[in-house]
């Protein structure tokens, strides 16, 4: 570009380049001054949303007027080239000065004061630099400091990019300029900043605030005083590892460093941001006090050598290489706690706790039952999908950077490990299967219509739940005909047995008996493969897992507990011991709360953000607005027939207790709570005239279908009751309601009833051994769309009403949750990849279906959402979709705890 013009600016020389663009010296031909021109990358300017965001950031940054901040003069565009016009600051950078030799103490203090003043000015205006480093600070020989590129890292932050995060590790520019600005910068778990100067929370890929600048200030100040980079490594991974765990050698500070500066540096370099200096103004005050001659005396050598916290040390065992690489590869690795008090006794295995919220771009599906740690504690199997929509079973080796997808496992659910840690059992396409993680070979073991957990004994027997209702079965790991492993002994108190866990003898196992009512706890039993009588151990809402040397781990409320258990006697041996880990309390299958290895590593789905919001999108998935609601977890949005109101269910926490019906008047956007009964309401369905709502409620102790007016007041009554565990209304057209149940012998079934014909019994329309659910009656009442796994995979079908003589299969690549438009001319549904799709429908004597079109991916909810959950609804004309979105990250968060038994030791020491 040298010699060319950009508007009134004549490009004269190239000054440098980096991840945010190329920088040139230019002459402003109108004002006759020298300026710096930062030309934005073409890929950046082609993205209108990112460009608009950049312009908004630039407008904010232009408000910064301070002698220690390089000014922004404006934005310029010419012939498709976009550029930022900035003050040209001559002279060397601080990085140049440090390479030339050690700065004096006085010069270091002066530059530190000016940098602190610049940061204070920006922070007061709500601007965070996020990339403070010597390369971004001009430091003239006359003692003038100016901070460059304020906020540009945030302004240039990509919304979406195609590069792999792991490619950062191979970038030749990262260690020299080393600003990590590549992929998905707005997403949790992606690093943005400079390796040697980023704060620990920034290195872990979590959200940052002004305290990240304070950390970087401390690192730069330390480097000015010592002449050496505080955190350095041969690779970016090594540098990040040093940021996360390397102890700071305070003895490298010059002996003449005042004690107040040592204290200031320690406060700036606290790894926990909560304990870090909260305001850079406090640093400025300390430095101004020294400049005014009101500082303290020089610290003694003893103070120089003192550790930040006497008696404490960090131990990372063999986990460090993986943690550093994992953070770089795009996984959000948050080290929650890693310091244990040192002891004079022989070393013992140390407790290490960290969280995984995204593994190499793979989003982890919600539910503790969808992730399991191997018996040897070296790898995790989890259900998830990546940004390309590839869903299935992923394996994360804990000593590797990237998780890998096991091909052919697209429909996998509820994985569990073989004792050899080389094979994984899972449920997929109405089958129980196993896969070898080394070569990916998949083998069929048994039929399993709707599996709900399994356990693999050292004797080669698998105990599993083949359906959503009924007892457990046992089968050889090599396949064969399953045999009963348990039986339903009291149908009034138990509807299904789920999530077994073997004891060490490989013969006995524990499991949970689901009572079929959300307000009741399940019963945990001990049973044996020999068919002997079972033993009731206790009640719980979560299925337990056995952990060596003798504990059952489940949850009470939102906290994990370890229950002392004698595996030989098969009996509890003490009171529950509460652990530090939290777990989601939203449970719709009473699944297990944790997974544990023989080596003592615990895996738990952490209690994350379960709040949701309800938004409007157009058919292309573009946002049209949010429906104002109180903060909380809402679900099952259903539009009234005339489109004027929205019914949904919600509560303060997403827990299935005291969740009520809400109504939103869409014209005024006024939301009001409709029910106040103790218990949980769900699955509202509008009557054709909008005057009533049928809904599920467990207020009487079981899940029955109720009906009530859609306005406050009026009679509420039971519409359909039975001993069946699960009942939910799905569609109401004319005088017919379609609803689903779970039956002991056939799983999910679909029924029809007539709410205004008292005494007329409901009729089971679909009741095969396959699962039929998500029923939706067409607007003319002639057809029923529904989902079924009769082919081994969930597909959408349409059946003629009422005779059920004619049947169509609508999808071939997987689908569920069908929704008709108001005239029945289109049928929306969810694809197997969790995207919203639509297929045209031509009605007549017969139906004709057009080619399906995938519209947009559905946002992932961070709480449990089963196959029967209503996640979206469609306006009558098909032009808009109303759906749930998570507030924040939608990926599940998994917490890994090594040597979890140390928690119990710590608990004893606290008593």
């Amino acid at each position: 570009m040298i010699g060319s013009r950009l508007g009134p600016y004549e490009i004269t020389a190239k000054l440098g380049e980096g991840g945010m663009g190329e920088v040139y010296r230019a002459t402003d031909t109108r004002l006759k001054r020298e300026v710096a021109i930062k030309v934005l990358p073409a890929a950046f300017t082609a993205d209108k949303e990112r460009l608009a965001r950049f312009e908004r950031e630039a407008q904010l940054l232009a408000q910064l007027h301070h002698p220690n901040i390089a000014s922004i003069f404006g934005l310029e565009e010419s012939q498709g080239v976009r550029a930022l016009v900035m003050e040209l600051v001559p002279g060397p950078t601080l990085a140049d000065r440090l390479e030339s030799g050690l700065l004096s103490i006085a010069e270091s203090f002066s530059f530190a004061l000016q940098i602190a003043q610049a940061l204070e000015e920006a922070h007061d205006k709500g601007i965070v630099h996020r990339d403070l480093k010597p390369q971004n600070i001009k430091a003239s020989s006359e003692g003038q400091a100016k901070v460059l590129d304020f906020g540009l890292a945030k302004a240039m932050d990509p919304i979406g990019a195609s590069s792999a995060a792991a490619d950062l590790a191979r970038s030749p520019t990262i260690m020299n300029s080393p600003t990590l600005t590549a992929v998905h910068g707005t997403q949790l778990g992606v690093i943005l900043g400079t390796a040697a100067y980023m704060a620990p929370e920034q290195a872990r890929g979590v959200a940052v605030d002004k305290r990240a600048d304070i950390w970087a200030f401390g690192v730069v100040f330390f480097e000015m005083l010592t002449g050496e980079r505080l955190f350095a490594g041969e690779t970016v991974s090594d540098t990040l590892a040093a940021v996360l765990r390397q102890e700071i050698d305070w003895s490298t500070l010059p002996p003449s460093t005042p004690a107040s500066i040592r204290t200031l540096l320690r406060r700036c370099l606290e790894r926990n941001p909560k304990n870090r200096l909260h305001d850079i103004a406090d640093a400025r005050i300390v430095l101004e006090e020294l400049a005014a001659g009101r500082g303290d005396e020089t610290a003694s050598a003893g103070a120089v050598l003192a550790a930040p916290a006497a008696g404490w040390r960090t131990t990372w065992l063999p986990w460090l290489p993986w943690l550093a690489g994992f953070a770089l590869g795009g996984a959000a690795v948050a080290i929650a706690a890693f310091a244990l008090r040192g002891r004079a006794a022989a070393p013992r295995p140390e407790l290490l706790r960290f969280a995984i919220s995204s593994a190499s771009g793979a989003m982890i599906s919600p539910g503790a039952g969808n992730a399991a740690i191997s018996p040897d504690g070296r790898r995790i199997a989890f259900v998830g999908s990546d940004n390309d929509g590839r869903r299935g079973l992923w394996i994360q080796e804990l000593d590797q950077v990237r998780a890998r997808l096991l091909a052919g496992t697209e429909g996998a659910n509820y994985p569990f490990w073989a004792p050899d840690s080389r094979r994984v059992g899972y449920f997929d396409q109405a089958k129980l299967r196993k896969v070898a993680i080394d070569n990916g070979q998949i083998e069929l073991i048994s039929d399993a219509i709707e599996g709900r957990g399994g356990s693999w004994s050292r004797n080669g027997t698998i105990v599993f739940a083949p359906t959503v209702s009924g007892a457990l079965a046992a089968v050889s790991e090599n396949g064969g005909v399953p045999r009963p492993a348990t039986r339903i002994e009291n149908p009034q108190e138990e509807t299904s047995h789920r999530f077994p866990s073997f004891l060490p003898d490989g013969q006995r196992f524990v499991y949970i008996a689901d009572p079929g009512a959300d307000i009741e706890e399940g019963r945990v039993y001990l049973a044996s493969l020999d068919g002997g009588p079972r033993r009731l151990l206790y009640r719980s809402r979560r299925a337990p897992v056995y952990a060596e040397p003798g504990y059952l781990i489940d949850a009470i409320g939102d906290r994990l507990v370890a229950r002392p258990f004698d595996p030989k006697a098969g009996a509890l041996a003490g009171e529950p011991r509460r652990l530090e880990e939290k777990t989601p309390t939203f449970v719709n299958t009473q699944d297990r709360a944790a997974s544990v290895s023989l080596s003592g590593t615990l895996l738990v789905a952490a209690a994350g953000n379960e709040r949701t919001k309800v938004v409007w999108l157009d058919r292309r998935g573009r946002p049209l607005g949010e429906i104002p609601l109180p903060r909380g977890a809402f679900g099952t949005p259903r539009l009234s027939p005339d489109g004027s109101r929205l019914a949904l269910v919600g509560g303060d926490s997403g827990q299935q207790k005291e969740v009520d019906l809400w109504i939103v008047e869409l014209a005024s956007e006024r939301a009001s709570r409709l029910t106040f009964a103790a218990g949980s309401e769900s699955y509202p369905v509008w009557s054709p005239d909008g005057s009533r709502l049928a809904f599920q409620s467990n207020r009487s102790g079981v899940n029955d279908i109720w009906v009530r007016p859609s306005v406050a007041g009026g009679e509420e009554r039971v519409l359909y009751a039975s001993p069946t565990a699960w009942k939910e209304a799905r569609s109401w057209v004319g005088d017919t309601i379609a609803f689903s149940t779970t039956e002991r012998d056939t799983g999910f079934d679909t029924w029809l009833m007539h709410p205004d014909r008292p005494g007329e019994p409901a009729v089971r329309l679909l009741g095969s051994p396959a699962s039929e659910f998500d029923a939706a009656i067409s607007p003319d009442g002639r057809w029923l769309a529904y989902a079924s796994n009769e082919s081994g995979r969930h597909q959408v079908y349409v059946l003629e009403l009422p005779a059920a003589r004619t049947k169509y299969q609508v999808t071939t690549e997987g689908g569920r949750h069908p929704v008709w438009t108001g005239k029945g001319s289109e049928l929306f549904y969810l694809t197997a990849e969790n995207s919203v799709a639509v297929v045209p429908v031509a009605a007549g004597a017969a139906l004709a279906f057009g080619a399906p079109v995938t519209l947009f991916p559905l946002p992932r909810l961070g709480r449990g959402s089963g196959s029967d959950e209503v996640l979206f609804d469609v306006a009558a004309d098909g032009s808009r979709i109303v759906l749930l979105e998570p507030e924040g990250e939608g990926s599940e968060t998994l917490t890994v705890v090594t040597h979890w038994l140390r928690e119990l030791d710590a608990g004893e020491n606290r008593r």
Side-chain angles (χ1 to χ4, degrees):
M1 294 187 64
I2 298 174
S4 63
R5 290 175 67 97
L6 186 65
Y9 302 101
E10 188 172 280
I11 308 298
T12 59
K14 186 174 182 178
L15 298 177
E17 63 182 291
M20 298 184 197
E22 297 176 331
V23 183
Y24 295 87
R25 178 192 293 269
T27 300
D28 185 342
T29 58
R30 291 177 300 190
L31 300 178
K32 305 302 180 183
R33 63 179 175 179
E34 296 291 297
V35 297
I37 300 287
K38 175 162 287 190
V39 178
L40 307 184
F44 181 91
T45 58
D47 189 323
K48 293 183 179 180
E49 187 172 350
R50 287 169 62 190
L51 186 60
R53 187 156 58 92
F54 174 83
E55 292 176 350
R56 291 193 299 271
E57 292 284 348
Q59 292 168 4
L60 179 64
L61 297 174
Q63 300 175 24
L64 291 178
H65 301 290
H66 192 273
N68 299 118
I69 297 176
S71 299
I72 292 179
F73 294 150
L75 292 167
E76 192 68 33
E77 179 182 10
S78 177
Q79 297 180 345
V81 176
R82 294 271 185 149
L84 190 69
V85 184
M86 303 178 295
E87 176 185 2
L88 178 65
V89 184
T93 66
L94 181 57
D96 298 329
R97 294 288 307 275
L98 290 170
E99 287 180 359
S100 301
L102 186 66
L103 301 178
S104 67
I105 291 288
E107 200 169 25
S108 298
F109 284 4
S110 175
F111 283 145
L113 175 57
Q114 294 177 70
I115 295 167
Q117 291 169 335
L119 290 175
E120 182 180 6
E121 172 71 14
H123 291 177
D124 285 346
K125 287 183 167 59
I127 299 171
V128 179
H129 195 293
R130 300 206 306 175
D131 197 19
L132 185 70
K133 58 186 176 182
Q135 293 92 334
N136 278 339
I137 301 168
K138 287 284 188 172
S140 72
S141 56
E142 292 77 27
Q144 173 75 16
K146 283 214 175 192
V147 182
L148 314 177
D149 284 353
F150 250 107
L152 290 183
K154 182 178 180 183
M156 300 286 289
D157 181 5
I159 295 174
S162 58
S163 306
D167 290 344
L168 292 172
R170 299 188 291 271
S171 171
T173 65
I174 286 178
M175 293 307 296
N176 297 322
S177 155
T179 301
L180 312 186
T181 59
V183 296
H184 305 303
T186 61
Q187 298 178 6
L188 186 65
V190 178
I191 304 166
L192 183 68
T194 299
Y197 302 93
M198 63 174 58
E201 65 270 24
Q202 202 171 1
R204 296 178 192 124
V206 300
V208 299
D209 56 22
K210 65 182 182 180
R211 291 171 295 182
D213 283 354
I214 293 173
W215 169 277
F217 167 81
V219 176
V220 171
F221 194 6
F222 197 104
E223 186 172 343
M224 286 193 292
L225 291 171
T226 64
E228 299 290 336
R229 184 173 290 179
L230 181 55
F231 302 111
E234 294 182 357
T235 67
V236 176
S237 295
D238 294 335
T239 303
L240 290 176
V243 170
L244 288 170
R245 60 89 184 176
Q246 177 180 296
E247 292 187 0
I248 297 173
D249 186 0
W250 300 98
S251 66
T252 60
L253 288 170
S256 58
T257 305
S260 61
I261 295 299
R262 297 177 187 276
T263 301
L264 173 62
L265 287 170
R266 285 196 175 97
R267 293 194 63 197
C268 290
L269 296 174
E270 282 281 352
R271 282 190 165 91
N272 185 342
K274 292 183 179 179
N275 299 329
R276 194 177 304 152
L277 191 73
H278 275 42
D279 201 318
I280 195 65
D282 295 331
R284 187 257 304 163
I285 291 170
V286 171
L287 290 163
E288 285 181 342
E289 289 280 328
L290 284 173
R294 297 191 296 271
D296 51 12
E297 298 296 325
T298 301
S300 66
V304 172
L305 297 174
W312 289 71
R313 59 191 176 90
T314 60
T315 303
W316 287 82
L317 303 173
W319 299 89
L320 178 59
W322 172 72
L323 289 175
F326 205 67
L328 183 63
V333 179
I335 311 305
F338 52 83
L340 291 175
R341 188 172 297 276
R343 300 178 182 176
R348 295 182 58 193
E350 301 283 5
L351 180 147
L352 172 69
R353 183 183 292 113
F354 57 92
I356 306 171
S357 65
S358 179
S360 297
M363 305 285 286
I364 304 167
S365 295
N370 273 325
I373 193 161
S374 60
D376 62 10
R378 296 178 54 193
R379 51 188 64 87
I380 295 170
F382 66 88
V383 177
S385 59
D386 64 7
N387 292 328
D388 295 326
R390 299 185 304 161
R391 185 191 186 278
L393 195 62
W394 296 74
I395 301 295
Q396 177 64 65
E397 304 277 352
L398 295 186
D399 61 353
Q400 299 293 320
V401 173
R402 299 183 64 83
R404 56 190 173 92
L405 175 65
L406 297 179
T409 63
E410 290 81 1
N413 280 301
Y414 302 118
F416 56 96
W417 286 90
D420 61 8
S421 297
R422 308 308 306 173
R423 295 167 292 169
V424 177
Y426 64 97
F427 301 91
D428 183 9
Q429 299 183 23
K431 306 291 182 183
L432 171 63
R433 305 176 191 272
K434 62 181 177 181
V435 58
I437 64 171
D438 291 333
N439 58 21
Q441 181 178 351
I442 297 174
E443 297 181 48
L444 173 65
I445 299 176
S446 173
D447 290 336
I449 300 298
E450 288 277 354
R452 288 297 185 269
S455 186
W456 200 323
S457 83
R458 65 183 186 182
N459 300 325
T461 298
I462 294 175
V463 170
F464 66 105
T467 66
V468 295
S469 57
L472 299 176
V475 68
S476 167
E477 64 182 23
N478 298 318
V481 179
R483 65 184 187 277
T486 61
R487 62 187 181 89
I488 302 294
E489 298 185 12
N490 188 347
Q492 302 303 317
E493 296 181 350
E494 52 185 324
T495 62
S496 67
H497 297 166
R498 301 180 174 186
F499 297 100
S501 177
F502 269 110
L503 300 189
D505 61 14
Q507 183 73 12
R508 293 172 300 161
F509 54 92
V510 293
Y511 67 92
I512 192 165
D514 183 3
D518 294 325
I519 63 174
E520 292 184 13
E521 294 180 323
R523 290 170 168 79
V524 174
Y525 288 97
L526 174 68
S528 176
L529 291 175
D530 62 14
R534 64 181 183 177
R535 177 185 300 173
L536 177 63
L537 298 178
Y538 59 95
R539 292 174 177 265
S540 176
R541 284 182 55 81
R542 307 300 293 270
V545 293
Y546 175 79
E548 293 284 15
Y551 292 93
L552 296 179
I553 297 179
D554 62 351
I556 296 178
D558 66 347
R559 188 64 62 89
L560 281 189
V561 295
R563 303 176 189 265
F565 180 78
D566 184 342
K568 293 184 178 180
L572 294 174
E575 294 299 315
R577 304 277 300 279
R578 192 173 75 162
L579 303 180
E580 292 299 319
E581 286 67 45
K582 289 188 175 182
T583 184
T585 53
F586 182 94
V587 182
N588 62 357
T589 56
Q590 295 198 318
D591 64 356
R592 52 183 171 81
S595 174
V596 65
S597 73
L598 294 175
S599 62
T601 299
L602 182 70
L603 178 72
V604 57
N609 179 15
E610 296 182 348
R611 298 187 183 277
T612 57
K613 56 185 178 180
V614 181
V615 299
W616 285 107
L617 301 180
D618 67 12
R619 291 172 68 103
R620 296 177 60 184
R622 296 175 299 191
L624 299 175
E626 180 179 344
I627 296 175
L629 290 168
R631 285 184 57 81
F634 291 89
T636 62
R638 304 299 289 263
L639 290 164
S640 62
D642 63 3
S644 66
R645 291 182 290 171
L646 181 74
L648 33 72
V649 297
D652 291 335
S653 63
Q655 302 176 18
Q656 282 199 326
K657 51 186 179 181
E658 298 188 9
V659 177
D660 294 292
L661 294 179
W662 288 70
I663 297 292
V664 180
E665 300 290 342
L666 295 177
S668 63
E669 295 188 330
R670 184 177 63 87
S672 59
R673 184 175 167 189
L674 188 62
T675 61
F676 297 84
S680 174
E681 329 283 27
S682 53
Y683 303 103
V685 175
W686 292 91
S687 64
D689 62 1
S691 65
R692 292 176 291 172
L693 285 169
F695 59 97
Q696 180 199 81
S697 177
N698 63 11
R699 64 180 71 176
S700 61
V702 295
N703 287 302
D704 291 329
I705 298 177
W706 290 60
V707 66
R708 60 151 296 129
S710 60
V711 295
E715 178 191 8
E716 297 181 334
R717 62 183 177 89
V718 175
L719 194 60
Y720 180 84
S722 76
T724 298
W726 187 259
K727 296 174 285 291
E728 62 186 54
R730 300 295 299 200
S731 181
W732 191 344
V733 173
D735 65 348
T736 303
I737 291 179
F739 66 99
S740 299
T741 67
T742 53
E743 304 297 327
R744 184 173 302 113
D745 298 327
T746 55
F748 286 108
D749 290 346
T750 293
W751 299 65
L752 300 178
M753 67 174 169
H754 304 289
D756 297 320
R757 303 180 194 176
E760 183 173 323
V763 176
R764 180 157 53 179
L765 181 70
L766 298 166
S768 73
S771 290
E772 298 97 358
F773 55 93
D774 284 359
I777 304 173
S778 64
D780 61 8
R782 295 181 54 203
W783 306 96
L784 180 82
Y786 65 99
S788 172
N789 63 356
E790 64 184 64
S791 67
R793 186 180 188 183
H794 290 144
Q795 305 284 4
V796 174
Y797 299 86
V798 171
L799 186 70
E800 182 188 12
L801 292 179
R805 289 189 298 263
T806 304
K807 178 179 175 180
Y808 302 90
Q809 181 173 337
V810 179
T811 64
T812 58
E813 300 299 322
R816 61 184 177 92
H817 187 44
V819 179
W820 298 92
T821 54
K823 295 182 178 180
S825 59
E826 291 182 307
L827 189 63
F828 286 72
Y829 64 95
L830 279 181
T831 69
E833 291 75 28
N834 221 42
S835 292
V836 176
V838 64
V839 58
V841 182
L847 294 183
F849 298 93
V853 177
T854 299
L855 301 178
F856 56 87
L858 195 71
R860 305 173 193 277
L861 295 180
R863 56 181 176 80
S865 56
S867 61
D868 56 344
E869 177 125 10
V870 176
L871 300 176
F872 73 93
D873 203 0
V874 181
D877 63 0
S879 63
R880 298 189 299 167
I881 294 94
V882 60
L883 56 77
L884 302 177
E885 279 189 354
E887 286 191 3
E889 178 69 31
S891 176
E892 181 68 274
T893 297
L894 301 176
T895 298
V896 180
V897 184
T898 66
H899 308 293
W900 71 272
L901 288 169
R902 293 300 303 274
E903 283 198 34
L904 301 184
D905 295 342
E908 288 291 345
N909 293 335
R910 289 194 296 266
R911 292 184 179 182

